[in-house]
């Protein structure tokens, strides 16, 4: 597809401090336009999901070595990519103009006559104030905040008064990349007149579930950092406003703050759950053991869809959101539309499936009230399908319970496969190593098939941690829990409501028990 001539060729985009929720709306919009995403090494991989699946993703550290410095390699890569007719998004941590070193890049683009757009981002210093509840400005204390590059100041040529000025200004200091030279920074500030008792904090991985911070008087901060083992490039905030912080910030009070949770849903279904868990403060790991694919044979589906026109079916039953997508996308593919379903009643196994139906402008006539499961759906439908003809739209795998139960009263029950579940083991070494080290606390299992696939990857080390309760398995339903127990594993909790939200709530309850024990 040719690029819109009104659309810039290059977007320089601030990715924010790391939390996907802090990516701006405009940043998401332009990522969707990308043919190529060039991203800095500090940018979380999660943010790349906003770009098209077809877009090429390239980390700046992986550019092919050339006889150039890294900035020139970046310029060359962008220019060559644009000349090939592609739209480039350069995703930079924080804000491009706050220590983003983008001046040379912009000069190169202007010199080449290439159109561009700059999308601001949330810089880490601003995010740190919000996520630690430190007001960087305060009407009773200071009306100014100063952003400082901590790794540049000690040897900055031609400015011998830098530290003296910073030590005496009535401002909050926000010093970026300050861990490596923290001791020197503290010594310089105190030497030039800043009181040793000035409140200070050091924070790393701000806005993420891995966020850690220490607070101390300025003169004691380096020792406090060493005792805490903080080595990751951090952000230093110095000033009386630091004393305004609460004992625990709103983010650190989130029920899953710092907890590591493994999400095992198929990749196309995991996004919402991952975002909800991140909002609750969790550090989320993902693995996909089951993929979703088109049926190997559409003949039975097409035959059933043609029968809707002649009124063969009284009920259409969906046992998953994927089933809704599978059937209705096929209806469109064969040149038909929703009018064919005008005379049929529709049932959905739960609210998530019903929500997907609503996205297609269809409303479920029946949703189980007691249990979002095959058992619950069978119980809700049994009195309604007596003597009726029922079509079940489902996956190629799964229990036969619903068909068996409805066949006891219905005149006809037929199943069609509208999507295939396929084995898709995506178990990276990082994922397994995290489990072996006991870093992941909760493993969520959203179906029996997924549970069997995930647990089949575990070795003796991981099984031992589960047996000792160091890793807890959380099932979406009793059915899934029974599948786990049949494989010889303990189940720490089962969701009371058999939905994604119910699964998350079960994790929250376990996390609260961790706190009280």
């Amino acid at each position: 597809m040719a690029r819109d001539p009104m659309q810039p060729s290059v977007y320089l985009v601030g990715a924010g401090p790391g939390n996907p929720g802090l990516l701006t709306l405009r940043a998401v919009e332009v990522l969707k336009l990308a043919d190529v995403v060039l991203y800095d090494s500090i940018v979380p991989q999660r943010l790349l999901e906003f770009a098209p699946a077809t877009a090429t993703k390239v980390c700046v550290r992986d550019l092919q070595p050339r006889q150039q410095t890294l900035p020139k390699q970046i310029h060359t890569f962008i220019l060559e990519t644009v000349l090939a007719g592609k739209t480039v998004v350069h995703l930079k941590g924080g804000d491009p103009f706050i220590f983003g070193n983008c001046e040379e890049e912009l000069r190169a683009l202007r010199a080449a006559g290439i159109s561009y757009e700059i999308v601001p981002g949330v810089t880490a210093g601003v995010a740190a104030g919000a996520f630690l509840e430190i007001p960087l400005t305060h009407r009773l204390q200071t009306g100014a905040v100063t952003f400082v590059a901590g790794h540049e100041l000690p040897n900055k040529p031609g400015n011998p008064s830098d530290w003296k000025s910073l030590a005496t200004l009535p401002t909050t200091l926000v010093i970026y990349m300050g861990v490596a030279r923290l001791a020197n920074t503290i010594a310089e500030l105190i030497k030039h007149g800043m009181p040793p008792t000035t409140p200070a904090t050091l924070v790393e991985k701000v806005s993420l579930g891995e966020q850690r911070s220490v607070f101390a008087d300025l003169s004691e901060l380096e020792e406090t950092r060493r005792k805490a083992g903080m080595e990751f490039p951090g952000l230093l905030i110095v000033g009386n406003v630091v004393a305004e912080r609460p004992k625990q910030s709103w983010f650190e009070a989130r029920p899953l703050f710092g907890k590591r949770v493994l999400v095992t849903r198929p990749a196309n279904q995991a996004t919402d759950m991952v975002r909800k868990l991140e909002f609750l403060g969790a550090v989320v790991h993902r693995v996909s053991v089951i993929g979703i694919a088109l049926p190997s044979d559409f003949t039975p589906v097409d035959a059933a869809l043609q029968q809707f026109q002649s009124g063969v079916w009284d009920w259409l039953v969906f046992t998953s959101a994927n089933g809704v997508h599978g059937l209705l996308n096929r209806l469109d593919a064969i040149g038909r539309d929703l009018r064919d379903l005008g005379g049929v009643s529709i049932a959905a196994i739960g609210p998530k499936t019903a929500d997907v139906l609503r996205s297609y402008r269809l409303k479920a006539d029946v949703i189980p009230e007691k249990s979002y499961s095959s058992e619950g759906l069978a119980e809700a439908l049994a009195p309604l399908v007596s003597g009726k003809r029922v079509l079940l739209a489902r996956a190629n795998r799964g229990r036969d319970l619903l068909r068996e139960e409805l066949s006891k009263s219905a005149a006809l029950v037929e199943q069609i496969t509208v999507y295939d579940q396929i084995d898709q083991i995506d178990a990276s070494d990082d994922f397994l190593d995290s489990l072996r080290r006991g870093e992941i606390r909760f493993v969520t299992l959203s179906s029996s098939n997924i549970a069997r696939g995930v647990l089949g990857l575990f070795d003796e080390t991981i099984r031992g941690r589960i047996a000792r309760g160091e890793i807890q398995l959380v099932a979406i339903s009793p059915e899934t829990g029974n599948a786990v127990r049949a494989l010889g594993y303990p189940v720490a909790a089962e969701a009371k409501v058999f939905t994604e939200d119910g699964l998350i709530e079960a994790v929250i309850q376990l996390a609260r028990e961790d706190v009280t024990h």
Side-chain angles (χ1 to χ4, degrees), residues 194-389:
M194 182 171 284
T197 56
T198 303
T201 183
L202 188 70
V203 59
E204 64 182 22
K205 299 188 177 181
V206 66
S207 82
L208 302 174
E210 299 164 284
Q211 175 179 301
R212 288 203 306 160
S213 59
V214 292
F215 298 86
D217 289 348
L218 182 62
S219 61
E220 300 174 355
L221 188 63
E222 169 63 9
E223 181 181 356
T224 304
R225 176 200 69 81
R226 284 202 309 268
K227 289 181 178 179
M230 291 179 64
E231 302 293 341
F232 191 84
L235 191 81
L236 173 63
I237 303 177
V238 184
N240 291 331
V241 294
V242 174
E244 299 292 329
R245 67 179 179 85
K247 185 176 181 180
Q248 186 180 51
S249 74
W250 65 270
F251 184 59
E252 294 166 338
R254 288 286 167 91
L256 295 179
F257 177 72
K259 300 292 185 181
R260 292 182 178 268
V261 181
L262 178 64
V263 172
T264 60
R265 305 198 74 182
N268 69 320
Q269 295 177 302
T271 301
D272 284 347
M273 186 172 181
V274 169
R275 289 178 183 171
K276 290 173 183 177
L277 288 166
E278 288 175 337
F279 178 76
L280 292 166
V283 180
V284 183
H285 300 251
R286 289 189 291 179
V287 62
S288 178
V289 296
I290 290 180
I292 304 302
L294 295 175
S296 56
D297 181 10
F298 270 115
T299 303
V301 179
D302 293 348
L305 290 175
Q306 294 293 341
Q307 290 170 339
F308 279 112
Q309 300 172 56
S310 54
V312 169
W313 303 109
D314 301 304
W315 280 90
L316 175 58
V317 180
F318 293 101
T319 58
S320 70
N322 285 318
V324 177
H325 293 306
L327 185 135
L328 296 180
N329 287 339
R330 187 59 184 176
L331 183 67
D332 178 69
I334 64 173
R336 308 302 304 174
D337 58 38
L338 297 181
R339 287 173 293 183
D340 287 2
L341 308 182
V344 68
S345 298
I346 299 176
I349 197 168
K352 188 79 172 181
T353 303
D355 287 344
V356 175
L357 279 166
R358 277 190 287 272
S359 73
Y360 286 94
R361 302 296 188 267
L362 289 172
K363 184 177 180 180
D365 298 288
V366 171
I367 306 171
E369 295 182 2
K370 297 180 180 179
S371 171
Y372 306 140
S373 62
S374 294
E375 290 86 350
L377 187 55
E379 182 180 353
L381 280 174
L384 303 175
V385 299
S386 179
K388 305 293 185 179
R389 293 155 299 183

Side-chain angles (χ1 to χ4, degrees), residues 7 11 26 28-36 50 52 87 89:
Q7 175 184 311
Y11 295 89
R26 183 57 180 161
V28 173
E29 289 174 346
V30 302
L31 276 168
K32 292 178 179 178
L33 301 173
D35 297 311
V36 176
F50 292 101
T87 298
V89 171

Side-chain angles (χ1 to χ4, degrees), residues 64 78 113 140 148 200 254 330 332 417 424 516:
Q64 291 297 318
I78 292 175
L140 299 179
V148 182
R254 288 286 167 91
R330 187 59 184 176
D332 178 69
T417 296
Q424 191 179 60
T516 57

Side-chain angles (χ1 to χ4, degrees), residues 430-492:
D430 289 344
F431 150 70
L432 289 174
D433 285 344
S434 293
L435 283 167
R436 293 185 187 106
R437 291 190 296 264
E439 295 172 349
I440 296 174
R441 177 60 171 154
F442 305 109
V443 176
T444 61
L445 302 167
S446 54
S447 77
S448 299
N449 285 337
I450 286 174
R452 284 186 280 267
V454 171
L455 300 181
L457 301 172
F458 293 172
D459 58 21
E460 287 298 328
T461 299
I462 298 171
R463 286 196 286 270
R465 289 194 178 277
I466 294 171
R468 294 189 296 272
E470 298 167 9
I471 299 172
Q472 296 189 313
L473 307 181
V474 189
I476 197 169
S477 67
E479 176 197 339
T480 301
N482 289 336
V484 173
R485 283 183 282 267
L487 293 170
Y489 288 91
V491 177

Side-chain angles (χ1 to χ4, degrees), residues 36-45 48 55-66 70 73-75 77-78 81 88-93:
V36 176
V37 180
L38 179 66
Y39 62 96
D40 292 356
S41 57
I42 63 172
V43 172
Q45 294 284 309
L48 304 180
T56 302
K57 287 89 172 178
V58 180
C59 182
V60 294
R61 67 168 176 261
D62 296 329
L63 292 177
Q64 291 297 318
R66 302 171 186 253
L70 180 58
Q73 289 181 30
I74 293 172
H75 308 161
F77 176 83
I78 292 175
T81 304
V88 180
V89 171
H90 187 178
L91 202 55
K92 299 182 69 67

